[in-house]
Amino acid sequence: MKYLIWLAPFLITAGLTVGLISEDWGTIPLVLIILGLTIAVVWILWQSYSTKWWSRRSTQVGTNALIATLAVVAILGLINFLGTRYNIRNDLTEAQFFTLAPQSQEVLQNIEQSVKVWIFDANKNPLDQELLERYQRQNNNFKFEYVDPLAKPGLTNKFGVKDYGEVYLESGENRQLVQVVNPQERLSESRLTNRLVQINNPNTSKVYFLQGHGERQLEAGEDNISQAVQALADNNYTAEPLNLTQSAKIPSDANAVIIAGPQRALLDGEIQALQDYVNGGGNLLVMVDPGVDPKLEALTKEWGVTFDNRLAINVSESAQQQPPGISIVTQYGEHPITKNFKNGISIYKLARPIEISPVDGVESTALVLTQPYPASWAESDLENEELNFDENSDRPGPLTLSVALTKKLAAKPTVQPTPTPTPTPTPTPKPTPTPTPTPTPTPTTSEENKPTESRMVVFGDSDFITDGLFTQQLNGDLFLNSITWLSKQDSQPLSIRPKEATNRRLNLSQSQASLIALSSILILPLLAFVAAALLWFQRR
């Protein structure tokens, strides 16, 4: 019995070895393990009875230590098991850098079929991989895989890969190029989410930019809007120019019409075409710069919107000083276009205020608001370089720079047949009466309560979507969100803003920097020596 204990670890080790190597935890490994554990338990009981070592203090202390160690190991094992089984992540960063945008989470929750991202690159970038893992944690139908183009030429030819770094999204037979990543440009959450929407809903929306009156041009160039057009393409929109002098009617496939900064007046026929379009359920985005009269008020007044001829002035004190003609806005109305904007920044160069009047059947919501007076006001005297508020001619802030409007339109009456009274038969000498004529239907109208909705968004500025300013802060998001709302694409996600870290640097003057350096090098060590000397003298 004395040497029987050595058989216990042998049998347990043999059982574990057989089970791990054969990967079959059948009868043999289980019998060996159970037999070894039984021998160990019997030996412990026999030793306790024969030598009474259990009553010794050293045995009790050692047993308590062993039980405490096993309890700690069991608790840690249970915590690791729960952490593996139930994955909970908390993003403690202020800007939520390691969390997907709400728009991305909403899109992933609606994915019901398998989708896979293929990254044709031999090197795995940790930032891109972390982003893809966030997508995968939201939905198990989302997969991704890195592929070396040289190692798998068949798959490379299948996707038509031309260079390293190409990222493709695949769902069934549908494949789309997301972007090309490189050390300077990493995988974009906005592009990936928009491609997910497109591959599940391949239908594109079409928007038209009105041209012919000095509006912003769609191609690249100074004061043009090529970046806005490219952003629309990335969000599954097709943008085309529209000249109403060549076609007197808005195309039927237009999801929205955009009037971006006209410099000359529109013709009466063009105004009428736009009125017919919005009154028939169309959607319109109007952006008018200060100092211009495109004669659009005949259209916008029906919606309760008029353009103020004064200029919005911003003199608020900020860390980044700007000329007074540039309005930096941080206040937004409660609307789907400005959802989750919070106190984000949008920039408007030379904007004009908008006045809103109540109109029956029209619901309006102010989108962009400047700060209250005296931080902002509407200036009427633009020739005076010294801008001062005049109570008689100027208008105090806050000013409305943008507004979203909806109008419910009653459905057109339908024609239904109504029978005419049956004429009385005419008596004749014949015994048989004449046949009754067939009733003739006559049109009558009956209205059905099936209204359609027309939408309009008005801005007192068009500079904010020009190349360069479009990518600044929330400018591009405000434009894209407006188009999404106007197009009634409720299934489409709104724009995803890039996350930026809050600047918490301290801007010190030269004297402040010198004081900090002197205190850290001389004053603090001197105080420490003085405190040590006083303590030594007190103890002595």
Side-chain angles (χ1 to χ4, degrees):
M1 195 67 180
K2 180 179 180 180
Y3 300 101
L4 187 63
I5 186 58
W6 298 107
L7 191 58
F10 171 77
L11 293 174
I12 295 174
T13 304
L16 293 175
T17 303
V18 172
L20 292 174
I21 294 177
S22 64
E23 296 183 355
D24 182 15
W25 297 91
T27 304
I28 295 177
L30 291 178
V31 168
L32 293 174
I33 294 173
I34 293 173
L35 185 59
L37 292 174
T38 303
I39 293 174
V41 172
V42 171
W43 184 85
I44 291 173
L45 294 176
W46 179 78
Q47 286 290 330
S48 176
Y49 176 77
S50 60
T51 61
K52 296 183 180 180
W53 60 277
W54 182 257
S55 60
R56 300 176 184 174
R57 179 175 177 80
S58 59
T59 303
Q60 295 177 357
V61 173
T63 303
N64 291 334
L66 178 62
I67 293 175
T69 303
L70 293 176
V72 171
V73 172
I75 293 173
L76 292 177
L78 181 60
I79 292 175
N80 280 275
F81 169 76
L82 294 175
T84 305
R85 189 70 176 272
Y86 305 99
N87 189 4
I88 300 176
R89 296 166 59 91
N90 290 324
D91 189 355
L92 301 180
T93 59
E94 181 181 9
Q96 299 292 292
F97 282 103
F98 306 105
T99 303
L100 293 178
Q103 299 92 328
S104 299
Q105 297 180 27
E106 181 180 354
V107 170
L108 288 167
Q109 290 172 2
N110 296 327
I111 291 179
E112 297 179 355
Q113 58 183 352
S114 178
V115 294
K116 189 170 184 178
V117 175
W118 299 87
I119 307 97
F120 290 90
D121 199 341
N123 301 319
K124 298 181 180 181
N125 184 277
L127 296 178
D128 295 346
Q129 191 170 5
E130 170 62 24
L131 176 62
L132 292 169
E133 289 174 353
R134 291 179 218 157
Y135 276 82
Q136 194 173 48
R137 283 192 291 267
Q138 293 290 330
N139 194 323
N140 293 330
N141 290 326
F142 183 92
K143 308 292 182 183
F144 70 92
E145 181 177 345
Y146 278 86
V147 177
D148 186 351
L150 298 179
K152 295 185 178 180
L155 188 62
T156 302
N157 293 331
K158 176 182 176 181
F159 280 86
V161 178
K162 299 179 181 179
D163 197 3
Y164 280 93
E166 293 186 5
V167 181
Y168 285 86
L169 182 64
E170 182 182 34
S171 178
E173 298 297 327
N174 298 326
R175 303 182 188 93
Q176 286 192 9
L177 176 65
V178 179
Q179 69 177 104
V180 179
V181 296
N182 53 59
Q184 289 73 35
E185 183 178 2
R186 302 318 314 166
L187 186 60
S188 168
E189 178 185 350
S190 177
R191 292 187 180 182
L192 182 54
T193 297
N194 287 322
R195 289 296 183 269
L196 283 171
V197 175
Q198 294 174 19
I199 206 166
N200 288 286
N201 182 20
N203 298 326
T204 60
S205 302
K206 184 171 287 188
V207 295
Y208 287 89
F209 284 83
L210 187 65
Q211 299 289 289
H213 318 89
E215 291 90 352
R216 306 286 180 181
Q217 299 299 301
L218 309 188
E219 64 274 2
E222 186 178 0
D223 295 332
N224 289 357
I225 54 174
S226 62
Q227 291 179 340
V229 173
Q230 181 60 47
L232 287 172
D234 292 340
N235 285 269
N236 216 24
Y237 287 92
T238 301
E240 292 186 5
L242 173 64
N243 195 321
L244 290 178
T245 59
Q246 300 175 357
S247 175
K249 188 177 181 181
I250 307 295
S252 58
D253 60 350
N255 293 89
V257 174
I258 304 172
I259 306 176
Q263 299 301 308
R264 295 183 294 274
L266 275 68
L267 302 177
D268 294 339
E270 295 175 309
I271 298 293
Q272 185 62 48
L274 292 172
Q275 286 178 326
D276 295 340
Y277 171 68
V278 294
N279 290 334
N283 308 290
L284 192 62
L285 173 59
V286 181
M287 294 174 281
V288 180
D289 296 310
V292 179
D293 184 14
K295 304 300 182 182
L296 283 173
E297 288 198 354
L299 170 65
T300 59
K301 275 187 176 180
E302 296 181 359
W303 294 67
V305 175
T306 56
F307 295 98
D308 196 324
N309 293 323
R310 290 167 286 198
L311 180 68
I313 297 298
N314 176 31
V315 293
S316 60
E317 297 181 359
S318 62
Q320 187 70 26
Q321 290 295 329
Q322 298 288 347
I326 297 180
S327 297
I328 300 179
V329 174
T330 58
Q331 299 181 17
Y332 306 93
E334 294 292 334
H335 195 270
I337 294 177
T338 53
K339 183 180 179 181
N340 297 326
F341 274 24
K342 298 181 180 178
N343 293 325
I345 298 173
S346 57
I347 304 171
Y348 307 87
K349 184 173 67 174
L350 301 180
R352 65 194 304 173
I354 294 174
E355 296 181 2
I356 307 171
S357 303
V359 175
D360 293 339
V362 176
E363 180 181 352
S364 62
T365 302
L367 297 179
V368 179
L369 300 168
T370 64
Q371 297 183 14
Y373 178 80
S376 71
W377 70 85
E379 177 65 41
S380 58
D381 185 7
L382 303 181
E383 297 181 358
N384 189 358
E385 295 183 359
E386 295 183 1
L387 299 175
N388 295 311
F389 180 75
D390 187 347
E391 296 181 356
N392 298 322
S393 59
D394 296 341
R395 174 181 162 195
L399 308 173
T400 300
L401 303 184
S402 177
V403 60
L405 308 108
T406 59
K407 179 189 289 186
K408 295 291 184 180
L409 306 177
K412 294 182 179 180
T414 58
V415 178
Q416 295 182 350
T418 302
T420 58
T422 304
T424 305
T426 304
T428 59
K430 298 180 181 180
T432 306
T434 58
T436 303
T438 304
T440 302
T442 59
T444 60
T445 60
S446 65
E447 296 185 358
E448 297 181 1
N449 188 20
K450 293 182 179 179
T452 59
E453 188 178 69
S454 182
R455 297 180 178 182
M456 182 184 295
V457 177
V458 182
F459 284 89
D461 176 51
S462 68
D463 292 293
F464 75 100
I465 65 168
T466 56
D467 294 349
L469 281 176
F470 181 82
T471 56
Q472 295 294 319
Q473 301 295 330
L474 297 179
N475 287 13
D477 300 282
L478 191 59
F479 172 75
L480 293 175
N481 290 1
S482 298
I483 297 299
T484 301
W485 181 75
L486 286 172
S487 302
K488 303 183 179 74
Q489 301 293 325
D490 297 330
S491 61
Q492 300 285 344
L494 299 180
S495 177
I496 301 174
R497 302 179 298 279
K499 299 173 182 178
E500 300 180 359
T502 303
N503 184 6
R504 302 202 180 278
R505 297 187 181 94
L506 292 176
N507 296 321
L508 301 177
S509 63
Q510 185 63 37
S511 58
Q512 291 173 332
S514 301
L515 178 61
I516 293 177
L518 181 64
S519 62
S520 60
I521 296 175
L522 180 62
I523 298 178
L524 292 180
L526 182 60
L527 291 176
F529 278 118
V530 170
L534 292 175
L535 183 61
W536 174 81
F537 181 78
Q538 182 180 7
R539 290 185 175 181
R540 184 180 178 185

